């Protein structure tokens, strides 16, 4: 990730990182304590000395799980630091088995989940052992205490490691907190989630198409459009029940909604914590939740998850970048032009417009367009384009190359009062994979990686590497997934030669931080 | 289409159609002349008597092309009127061969293309015969006069036939007008479209990564972010050319952009013409342009186009409905709440909220969410949801069931001053199909249909019906595509039995207007 921000803001990012030029009225944090110290993932169990050694930008040692440690499902993990672009590894990772405790009709108040810690977890040995979980088929995820879910996440920080560290420590609790409000509903697969909490679904007059009397206090629009005829005493021919039917919501949608809202709450917490703590920068977030037989992959940023199943590749996320989100961003800039601070135009051009070109006709596209057309250049078009550049060099507001994630509340266009945050979204896209629909073998895995991996290796290359590696391992060796992750990171980092990191075919290796989880899917309905 | 609007606005649409309750300050048109009289597609060549007979809601005769008439590529066409929901058939269709004339460096001024008619067409025999076109492979679409394109379009009107009639007469001219500005570029496939018109692409200093001097008059943001170092005299080490590279735009993107902007101009013209003419309602628009070897399918609404090729179905459009565009609409309502007139909420609920439910927890989803979650019901939530209902009954602002199209500038929520138009988009999604990448047989076709067809027949059913029908026809009979279209319309309309229209398996036939084009693809590089 760091390449994306650093290349654009090199030389003036210091203001944001150290507090030199923040003029937005907020506390930029440099004199505040850290919420959490910089660290490597807790499950690696590194000593302070080892953490220091891991930040060797010359040797770039690949860190893997120690043999004495195990992650749930025998998950493999490996990581490596960047080639010197930032002092610290700004990637962070987390893997835990989490219990969302049952509390009747309770829920987490908005933006304050940190006050109501409800998730129980095992920091030192996060593989769920000792939790006394009942892991029978069809009952997966239930235990007497509430709801159990497995959780893996990668966070790719930029402009500081603060947001990534905080998110790697807390996002799972926000997910637990959101799930907690629907534990009883999720456990009761026999009936659909009720529209209103506390009502019996079958006891709802709306389901029978009955005609309710006029509701006092409804607005005009509400009463007019709530019935097909004028409200008043029921007529002899009741109106059709068209407007009184309910949408049927599936259980799966509640889990998706819980993850979506957890990301929002995590982002709100970071914003709030910045009043009291030094939380630098922002981060992407890619999370995988396993609950009740299904994997839920939530992604906000440009990390990526794919499933490799019997040599087939199933993409489980899409990346959110200035290019992939161009139309959303342009639409926002068009509707709220003050966010562009009179310095940017929401229109896209193939390159900067020069003053001497005013009056000529130049290619452009607006938020409604996928194609291009010519327009006569006006003074207004001399402003810098909201979206500019291609591929990895594409930027929003000339500043950032990723459009979803957590944090970044203080990030501004250099030497201006234009905030980036309104254009960034903390909302993930959540994709679902039902583990019960397929009998998975030992080589069927889900691979999660930060963009350091995917920038240099294609899905196909990753799939071939993993499949080949696992085929040469003992299927009963629980350490095989960590070795495969190490192999992947090695292939993406490459070897140092001629003053550069090189991978196969003399291509350049990734100089970015690289983090990889390899999660075997066969353990979805049994505990290794 | 009409079911979508009529069912929601039944009983109060008269105000919009006749001018009874329009309070928006605009002229609602009832006393103004028609821009074009109501008609059936010109290529059908119907007499006024025949047009009157076609509107028989009891018999619902299926209209097809007369044997003496031919459309380009031997295109088949058939249509039928609705079962009585509106007096007239609100579907319209158009098929023509159009020449966009070359005019050096000229272009259509925004919103005034009607003043500069540049498209030549043959109304009475629209199959391109007599235009003296050179139709050689690789030169397709060129002639001495300019650029030739084939054009098919369907328009599905609602709340009156005015917009559909106007669009069916004029949209092709807007496309011609937009293409006219890029004729020379499209003809010159040897080099990419220039970023600036008039400049030679290879003569552009930006392509060489040269460092331009500081540009006087650039805004601060522009100059800061246009170079990696401070602007001023060139230093001895020029900055990297990163910010001076250009996006390469393909020819295809110019055609897409031309079609996108043509829809916008068509919509703007309808709005403008309403000052002088009576142009009622709105319409969806589905257009197919064949130019230089490729089909460009532009869709704004809920009509649909599919290609049937060797028994494979290739979807060439997606429908735009309150459900498929929910998040865009909610986002707009969230950002510009005044558009909701204090009567609607941008949140979605599974059903109407009742006053007695304030304080309880109800399922909802916001514009960022695909999943659902519970929220505590507040007074604000008693407002009617911006998006409401499911499937064909889903509505925006309780009024309209389609979210893209032309016209509807006067459409308001009943008995309110809330306009629907800001939530509707006139912008099409354009999909491209390269005819040169496949050798098409006589049974490979593109099927275009209004929602009257697709509401009752699936893609698979349509493909099977067409494939079976064509297999039983003489491959050399140019009338076979019209007969296949007639067969499709018959299958969707059904037969009148027990006071209802019934199709196979006792399902209900479509009571909507139904219009179908069947376009054989083998003629893409030869003229039948």
């Amino acid at each position: 990730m760091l390449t994306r921000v650093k290349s654009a803001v090199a030389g003036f990012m210091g203001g944001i990182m150290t507090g030199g030029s923040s003029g937005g009225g907020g506390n930029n944090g440099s004199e505040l304590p850290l919420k959490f110290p910089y660290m490597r993932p807790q499950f690696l169990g590194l000593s302070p000395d080892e953490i220091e050694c891991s930040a060797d930008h010359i040797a770039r040692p690949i860190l893997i799980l120690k043999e004495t440690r195990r992650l749930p499902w025998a998950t493999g993990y490996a990581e490596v630091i960047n080639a010197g672009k930032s002092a610290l590894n700004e990637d962070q990772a987390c893997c835990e088995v989490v219990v969302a405790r049952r509390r009747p009709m309770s829920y987490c108040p908005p933006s304050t989940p940190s006050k109501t810690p409800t998730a129980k977890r095992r920091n030192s040995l996060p593989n769920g052992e000792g939790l006394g979980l009942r892991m029978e088929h069809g009952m997966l995820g239930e235990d007497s205490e509430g709801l159990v879910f497995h959780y893996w996440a990668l966070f790719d920080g930029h402009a500081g490691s603060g947001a990534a560290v905080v998110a790697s420590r807390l996002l799972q609790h926000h997910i637990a907190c959101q799930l907690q409000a629907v534990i009883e509903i999720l456990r009761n697969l026999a009936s659909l989630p009720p529209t209103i909490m506390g009502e019996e679904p079958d006891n709802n007059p709306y389901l029978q198409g009955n005609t309710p009397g006029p509701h006092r206090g409804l607005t005009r629009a509400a009463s007019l459009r709530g019935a097909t005829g004028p409200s008043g005493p029921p007529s002899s021919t009741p109106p059709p029940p068209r407007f009184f039917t309910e949408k049927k919501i599936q259980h799966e949608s509640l889990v998706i909604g819980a993850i979506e809202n957890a990301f929002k709450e995590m982002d709100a917490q970071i914003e709030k914590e910045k009043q009291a703590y030094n939380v630098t920068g922002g981060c992407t977030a890619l999370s995988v939740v396993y609950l009740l037989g299904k994997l839920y992959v939530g992604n906000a940023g440009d990390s990526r998850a794919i499933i490799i199943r019997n040599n087939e590749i199933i993409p489980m996320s899409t990346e959110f970048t200035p290019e992939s989100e161009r139309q959303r961003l342009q639409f926002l800039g068009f509707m709220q032009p003050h966010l562009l601070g009179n310095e940017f135009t929401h229109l896209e051009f193939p390159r900067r417009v020069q003053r001497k070109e005013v009056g000529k006709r130049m290619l452009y596209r607006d938020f409604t367009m996928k194609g291009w057309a010519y327009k006569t250049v006006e003074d207004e078009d001399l402003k810098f384009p909201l979206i500019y550049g291609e591929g990895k060099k594409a930027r929003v507001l000339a500043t950032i190359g990723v459009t979803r994630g957590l944090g970044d509340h203080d990030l501004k266009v250099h030497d201006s009062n234009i905030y980036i945050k309104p254009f960034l979204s903390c909302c993930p896209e959540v994709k679902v994979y039902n583990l019960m629909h397929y009998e998975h073998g030992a080589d069927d895995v889900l691979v999660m990686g930060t963009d350091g991996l995917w920038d240099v290796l294609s899905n196909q290359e990753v799939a071939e590497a993993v499949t080949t590696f696992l085929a040469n391992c003992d299927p009963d060796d629980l350490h095989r997934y960590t070795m495969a992750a190490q192999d992947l990171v090695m292939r993406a980092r490459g070897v140092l030669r001629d003053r550069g990191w090189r991978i196969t075919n003399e291509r350049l290796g990734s100089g970015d931080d690289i983090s990889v989880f390899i999660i075997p899917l066969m353990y979805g309905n049994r505990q290794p």
Side-chain angles (χ1 to χ4, degrees), chain A:
Chain A
M1 169 47 44
L2 123 172
T3 56
R4 293 220 162 186
V5 172
K6 277 295 160 68
S7 64
V9 297
F12 55 84
M13 205 61 210
I16 287 152
M17 294 175 74
T18 64
S21 72
S22 170
N27 194 322
N28 54 53
S30 61
E31 289 143 32
L32 296 172
L34 290 170
K35 171 79 178 178
F36 298 106
Y38 171 79
M39 53 169 225
R40 297 317 308 147
Q42 295 187 307
F43 56 73
L44 289 179
L46 301 184
S47 68
D49 276 357
E50 288 172 317
I51 288 178
E52 199 178 324
C53 290
S54 76
D56 181 341
H57 296 288
I58 307 302
R60 299 182 76 192
I62 296 173
L63 309 189
I64 60 172
L65 213 58
K66 296 174 183 172
E67 293 225 20
T68 53
R69 288 174 177 268
R70 275 212 287 130
L71 292 176
W73 296 8
T75 297
Y77 177 81
E79 66 165 52
V80 72
I81 197 168
N82 62 79
K85 294 186 199 165
S86 67
L88 301 173
N89 185 341
E90 293 181 344
D91 281 2
Q92 294 292 341
C94 182
C95 175
E96 286 181 8
V97 176
V98 185
V99 182
R101 282 195 187 132
R102 181 170 44 187
R103 295 198 314 184
M105 291 306 291
S106 71
Y107 67 101
C108 309
S111 301
T112 55
S114 59
K115 290 182 187 165
T116 56
T118 58
K120 171 179 177 180
R121 85 202 140 108
R122 309 267 309 211
N123 285 342
S124 56
L125 194 62
N127 64 352
E129 286 174 11
L131 287 177
L133 309 179
R134 285 189 294 128
M135 284 295 183
E136 300 150 34
H137 188 88
M139 300 282 279
L140 292 164
E142 277 184 63
D143 93 327
S144 56
E145 294 183 80
L147 211 54
V148 179
F149 64 93
H150 289 61
Y151 171 83
W152 301 259
L154 293 178
F155 305 89
D156 184 347
H158 51 254
S161 54
V165 170
V166 170
S168 72
R169 300 283 284 260
L170 299 180
L171 179 60
Q172 68 273 34
H173 301 293
H174 285 279
I175 294 174
C177 201
Q178 295 293 325
L179 286 174
Q180 189 194 354
V182 290
I183 285 178
E184 294 306 323
I185 296 162
L186 293 178
R187 289 167 75 113
N188 179 13
L189 289 171
S191 66
L192 287 176
T195 299
I196 278 271
M197 288 281 268
E199 279 189 6
E200 291 299 316
D202 292 337
N203 206 13
N204 188 327
Y206 282 82
L207 286 179
Q208 279 91 51
N210 292 344
T211 312
H215 310 309
R216 281 211 271 174
L218 288 188
T219 63
R220 180 184 56 148
S223 58
L224 267 174
R225 279 169 291 280
T228 50
S231 59
S235 65
S236 56
T237 52
R242 187 168 56 229
F243 285 115
F244 297 101
T245 53
E246 284 195 347
K247 266 198 180 169
K248 305 287 182 295
I249 312 303
Q250 303 298 316
H251 290 83
E252 183 177 297
S253 294
L254 294 194
V255 181
I256 295 171
I259 293 169
E260 289 170 332
N261 281 341
F263 274 61
K264 269 186 271 189
E265 292 297 325
M266 183 71 252
D267 194 55
Q269 187 185 359
I270 289 174
E271 180 174 23
K272 202 176 165 197
E273 303 273 11
K274 285 175 76 80
Q275 303 301 317
Y277 296 101
N278 179 10
V279 184
T280 53
C283 67
T284 69
L286 171 65
S287 72
V288 174
V289 167
Y290 171 75
L291 179 67
L292 297 163
K294 292 177 181 173
L295 288 172
Y296 296 84
V297 181
N299 184 44
D302 60 357
S303 294
R304 184 186 298 170
I306 63 171
I307 282 175
I308 305 166
R309 190 184 72 185
N310 196 20
N311 293 319
E312 182 193 0
I313 296 167
I314 304 168
M316 289 303 297
S317 66
T318 50
E319 288 94 73
F320 296 98
T321 67
E323 288 186 303
S324 70
E325 294 218 275
R326 172 183 62 86
Q327 289 179 286
R328 171 178 78 78
L329 301 167
Q330 286 185 298
F331 186 38
L332 177 56
F334 171 76
M335 283 200 293
Q336 306 209 339
H338 67 275
L339 297 176
L340 301 174
N342 209 29
E343 298 205 6
F344 291 86
T345 168
H346 77 276
L347 294 182
E348 185 186 16
F349 299 96
R351 62 162 168 80
R352 283 301 306 283
V353 182
Q354 297 175 262
R355 174 155 291 282
K356 67 180 181 186
E357 291 167 333
V358 170
K360 292 187 180 176
R361 310 191 68 234
M362 195 178 201
L363 284 169
Y364 81 102
R365 55 179 173 177
D366 206 342
F367 69 92
T368 58
M369 302 169 71
K370 290 225 168 80
W372 293 78
Y374 288 95
K375 83 180 286 292
T376 303
V377 175
E378 301 162 57
D379 281 350
E380 187 77 0
D381 303 323
L382 293 172
K383 294 176 180 175
F384 201 85
L386 167 60
I387 309 293
Y388 191 65
E390 280 186 285
K392 291 298 280 186
K393 287 175 184 159
R395 294 285 179 283
V396 179
L397 294 167
T399 302
I400 191 164
V402 69
T403 53
R404 297 208 190 183
L406 307 167
D408 285 322
H409 298 88
D410 290 342
L411 187 60
K412 291 197 269 189
V413 174
H414 172 57
D415 199 19
S416 84
N417 219 21
I418 302 169
Y419 280 92
I420 311 293
K421 187 68 175 175
F423 293 92
L424 306 180
S425 169
C426 62
C427 301
E429 179 188 53
V430 181
K431 298 197 182 193
V432 185
Y433 180 84
N434 192 330
L435 273 178
M436 300 303 151
H437 284 175
Y438 194 91
E439 188 74 30
H440 295 93
D443 295 356
D444 294 331
V445 296
L446 186 145
V447 178
M448 301 169 68
T450 51
D451 66 338
L453 174 71
W454 306 104
D455 284 349
V456 296
L457 297 179
S458 67
N459 287 0
Q460 194 60 44
E461 287 171 318
V462 166
E464 282 169 13
V466 171
T467 303
T468 306
F469 190 94
L470 291 178
N472 290 321
C473 292
D474 175 359
D476 295 326
D477 178 6
L478 290 179
H479 209 54
R480 66 204 295 260
Y481 304 104
T482 283
M483 302 311 292
Q486 182 183 37
D487 177 65
L488 263 194
V489 171
M490 172 71 91
R491 284 170 184 269
R493 181 202 68 176
V495 295
L496 193 56
R497 195 165 59 229
D498 306 330
R499 287 190 226 155
W501 292 90
R502 300 277 165 184
I503 60 175
T504 50
N505 302 326
E506 286 307 302
R507 290 183 295 173
L508 276 177
S510 173
D512 200 355
D513 304 311
I514 310 169
S515 306
V516 171
F517 274 123
I518 297 187
I519 308 170
L521 301 179
M522 66 186 296
Y523 298 114
N525 43 9
R526 55 188 167 110
Q527 194 73 349

